[in-house]
Amino acid sequence: MSNSIKFPEGFLWGGATSAGQYEGGADEDGCGLSHMDYIRYLPRKEGMYHLVLNITPEMFEDYKAHDAAHDPEYYFPFRKGVDFYHHYKEDIALFGEMGFKTFRMSIKWSRLFPTGREEKPLTEGVEFYHNVFRELHKYGIEPLVTMTHYDIPATLTESINGWENPEMVALWTHFAKFLIDEYKDEVTYWLTFNEINMAANSSYLGGGMLVEKSGKKPLTCVHQAFHHMLVASAIVTKYAHDTAPQCKIGNMIARLHNYAYTCQPADELATMQANQLNLFFEDVMARGRYPQTMLNYYRDNDVVLDWYPDYERILQEGTVDFLSFSYYFTGVISDDPDKREPRGIFVRKLKNPYLKHSDWGWATDPTGLRITLNELYDRYQKPLFIVENGLGAHDKLETDGTVHDAYRIDYLRQHIEAIRDAIGDGVPVMGYTPWGCIDLVSMGDAQMSKRYGFIYVDADDEGNGTYNRYRKDSFYWYKKVIATNGEDLS
Ligand code: BG6
């Protein structure tokens, strides 16, 4: 059946990146450091997954001290990314060659406002993004811009503990409103926050916070941060609707669909509740109010929030135009306390025996993507955009400059087929931007070895290499997929 289903005309095929992992140039043209710029590369060891993101106040102080002393043992990979700052023309030409219709990128807040507190932005930073947008339009590529993909000026982590503090709402909306005012004629599609739910996994990464420094218990601190981000997002969404009605504003969550471990009703109930908690963010941003399920969760877990003044009206007035999400894997939930997932990690304790797993333990589940698309559309009736998906893998650059990544083609093919099936189910899907369309620094491990791209970048985990770009086999395959609007997936 799926072969007769067509992708809609104007489907936005493309690829996704983030400033923090891609852009580099963190010490150029007055740019300030972000809190991500203090994440250090640590060689991956069994059981160490995500340690790089779980930064404690002691680690933060240690990193700052070694950074100040220029200790060569301390490498901070997000400062360099893969140097889009100097390669943007070359990279965009490659995206153009693949036929991209859209390109997802984000803005580094501290490139415009180094400490997050300046009234006026830096001219060099403002011009850099104008140049990038101009270059994209030269190739007929529509920018899809995430206002904030995790990174906040590091000074705001230090001075006010990031998103825990209500002051962040005013500071961030100042930045985000500037983006709308300045770039509204060049950028139609905007996402407010990348994976707004990320602080549940890493409060440092997602909230720019060191929870140990907060006077609150960790869960309260995290949900206080969510509250401030949701309010800030709604304020800016309404601002864009009022001042730039041609712009379309979306949200972005890390979508995680869970299956019940067994068909015991208790497992099913636990699964439903886990799914509701994940959908909480969509509920607020699409429907404009806190769902009862989350209020119950607060009651049951002693989470007491300081509600932002007038937040109910703000949320109601600032609902998004479309929903976007990242999709990498699904989870498995059991009601059995011994089988419950520990909080704060991505690799699931309960493995799904019916699925294959990547080298990083991520379950490959294209059917889960079709389920996710149907579930989201049934629940919200808003257009959907898959703005991240892909396979992180070890790639090998051959001596002749080729990279044979049939495993990636296979992965993407299966997921594109699942999207096509969901379109056949009646789900309006706006586009698909596979993650890390060009190799960049992996978020979870702060390393280059985990690669997602159609384009190989010659750089290693410690920042050595030529940074030259090479087309992988998947580059030519995706070019054909786009040229045929998803008809030819062979
Ligand atoms: C998403 C993030 O969680 O997953 C990206 O939005 C991230 O920033 C991507 O890079 C893949 O994760 P990782 O850990 O493989 O880089």
Side-chain angles (χ1 to χ4, degrees):
M1 155 185 128
S2 62
N3 280 342
S4 62
I5 299 160
K6 304 249 179 289
F7 282 86
E9 278 307 306
F11 187 81
L12 292 166
W13 299 99
T17 61
S18 75
Q21 295 163 265
Y22 181 36
E23 193 172 288
D27 56 356
E28 292 188 51
D29 297 327
C31 182
L33 290 181
S34 78
H35 79 301
M36 279 175 64
D37 293 327
Y38 281 103
I39 295 174
R40 179 190 175 197
Y41 166 67
L42 289 166
R44 184 168 187 251
K45 288 193 195 126
E46 209 45 52
M48 249 186 61
Y49 190 77
H50 260 81
L51 185 65
V52 286
L53 300 182
N54 290 334
I55 291 183
T56 61
E58 295 71 38
M59 287 162 81
F60 190 66
E61 289 310 319
D62 177 64
Y63 292 180
K64 273 196 319 188
H66 285 270
D67 181 38
H70 305 291
D71 183 343
E73 294 293 308
Y74 281 62
Y75 175 56
F76 300 99
F78 296 110
R79 298 182 187 189
K80 196 164 177 181
V82 291
D83 200 22
F84 179 60
Y85 199 64
H86 297 107
H87 288 78
Y88 72 91
K89 288 194 176 171
E90 177 189 350
D91 290 356
I92 291 171
L94 287 165
F95 302 149
E97 189 182 325
M98 266 189 284
F100 276 21
K101 310 293 178 208
T102 191
F103 170 62
R104 179 173 174 232
M105 54 179 277
S106 74
I107 307 283
K108 186 167 174 129
W109 182 355
S110 53
R111 183 170 300 291
L112 300 181
F113 301 91
T115 69
R117 292 185 178 280
E118 294 79 1
E119 185 57 31
K120 294 215 157 46
L122 290 176
T123 315
E124 293 85 344
V126 176
E127 272 318 298
F128 171 68
Y129 293 113
H130 272 305
N131 290 339
V132 170
F133 298 146
R134 257 183 238 122
E135 200 67 18
L136 287 167
H137 284 297
K138 221 166 92 179
Y139 294 90
I141 301 174
E142 201 60 57
L144 164 63
V145 175
T146 318
M147 294 170 173
T148 286
H149 194 118
Y150 304 140
D151 59 310
I152 67 169
T155 46
L156 299 180
T157 294
E158 289 192 87
S159 58
I160 56 172
N161 210 25
W163 281 101
E164 179 195 359
N165 195 307
E167 199 192 344
M168 283 294 279
V169 175
L171 295 171
W172 186 82
T173 54
H174 177 67
F175 155 68
K177 286 179 180 178
F178 168 78
L179 297 182
I180 297 289
D181 294 343
E182 182 72 23
Y183 301 118
K184 61 176 182 255
D185 296 329
E186 290 159 296
V187 179
T188 303
Y189 300 102
W190 297 90
L191 309 176
T192 50
F193 292 100
N194 179 67
E195 295 189 337
I196 192 165
N197 50 340
M198 177 48 77
N201 272 301
S202 167
S203 45
Y204 182 78
L205 180 66
M209 304 178 295
L210 296 160
V211 280
E212 297 84 350
K213 273 177 65 181
S214 158
K216 306 183 180 82
K217 66 173 189 167
L219 191 63
T220 304
C221 178
V222 163
H223 278 271
Q224 191 65 60
F226 287 148
H227 183 59
H228 295 147
M229 291 166 91
L230 289 165
V231 166
S233 175
I235 291 172
V236 168
T237 302
K238 176 168 169 23
Y239 181 78
H241 287 159
D242 291 346
T243 62
Q246 73 276 25
C247 292
K248 302 274 175 238
I249 316 296
N251 71 343
M252 198 302 202
I253 71 164
R255 181 71 193 104
L256 177 66
H257 181 78
N258 293 294
Y259 302 116
Y261 185 61
T262 72
C263 52
Q264 291 183 68
D267 277 356
E268 184 60 28
L269 182 65
T271 307
M272 182 194 81
Q273 287 168 338
N275 285 331
Q276 282 173 334
L277 288 186
N278 184 258
L279 288 168
F280 151 69
F281 302 88
E282 303 281 25
D283 285 350
V284 176
M285 299 174 98
R287 294 172 167 162
R289 61 190 146 78
Y290 269 62
Q292 188 60 41
T293 46
M294 188 47 89
L295 301 177
N296 296 347
Y297 178 80
Y298 292 164
R299 179 197 62 205
D300 298 344
N301 291 281
D302 287 328
V303 172
V304 180
L305 298 188
D306 295 325
W307 298 99
Y308 196 82
D310 214 9
Y311 79 94
E312 283 161 308
R313 180 188 57 79
I314 293 171
L315 295 179
Q316 195 66 63
E317 289 179 354
T319 55
V320 290
D321 303 309
F322 66 94
L323 305 177
S324 87
F325 61 95
S326 59
Y327 178 85
Y328 291 96
F329 44 70
T330 43
V332 178
I333 296 283
S334 165
D335 183 53
D336 179 347
D338 292 338
K339 295 199 175 72
R340 282 208 196 117
E341 280 170 17
R343 187 185 155 271
I345 58 164
F346 259 168
V347 179
R348 305 287 147 185
K349 198 174 166 191
L350 294 180
K351 276 209 167 177
N352 188 328
Y354 303 101
L355 300 175
K356 287 200 179 127
H357 294 77
S358 76
D359 291 348
W360 278 263
W362 292 17
T364 300
D365 184 9
T367 305
L369 178 55
R370 181 177 179 181
I371 294 170
T372 296
L373 285 163
N374 273 275
E375 188 178 39
L376 289 177
Y377 188 59
D378 280 353
R379 196 169 165 117
Y380 304 108
Q381 282 92 50
K382 296 215 184 218
L384 303 175
F385 206 142
I386 304 133
V387 296
E388 277 188 42
N389 171 237
L391 178 70
H394 294 282
D395 289 339
K396 183 165 180 281
L397 180 66
E398 306 290 348
T399 45
D400 62 358
T402 56
V403 177
H404 305 302
D405 56 344
Y407 38 89
R408 180 167 294 108
I409 294 174
D410 200 39
Y411 176 101
L412 294 170
R413 179 191 295 118
Q414 292 178 46
H415 286 79
I416 293 173
E417 282 170 356
I419 298 168
R420 192 168 63 185
D421 288 341
I423 290 171
D425 296 334
V427 181
V429 186
M430 295 166 66
Y432 178 59
T433 54
W435 174 250
C437 50
I438 175 165
D439 292 345
L440 37 68
V441 183
S442 138
M443 194 65 255
D445 292 286
Q447 62 172 203
M448 279 304 296
S449 303
K450 190 180 187 188
R451 296 171 182 273
Y452 287 85
F454 302 110
I455 300 163
Y456 185 95
V457 178
D458 175 34
D460 72 11
D461 291 340
E462 280 154 32
N464 307 304
T466 61
Y467 285 73
N468 288 340
R469 276 69 169 147
Y470 299 88
R471 296 166 185 80
K472 301 183 193 176
D473 288 354
S474 58
F475 179 101
Y476 301 102
W477 174 81
Y478 195 45
K479 180 177 176 179
K480 182 182 62 185
V481 171
I482 297 176
T484 61
N485 198 25
E487 294 236 342
D488 187 351
L489 301 178
S490 62

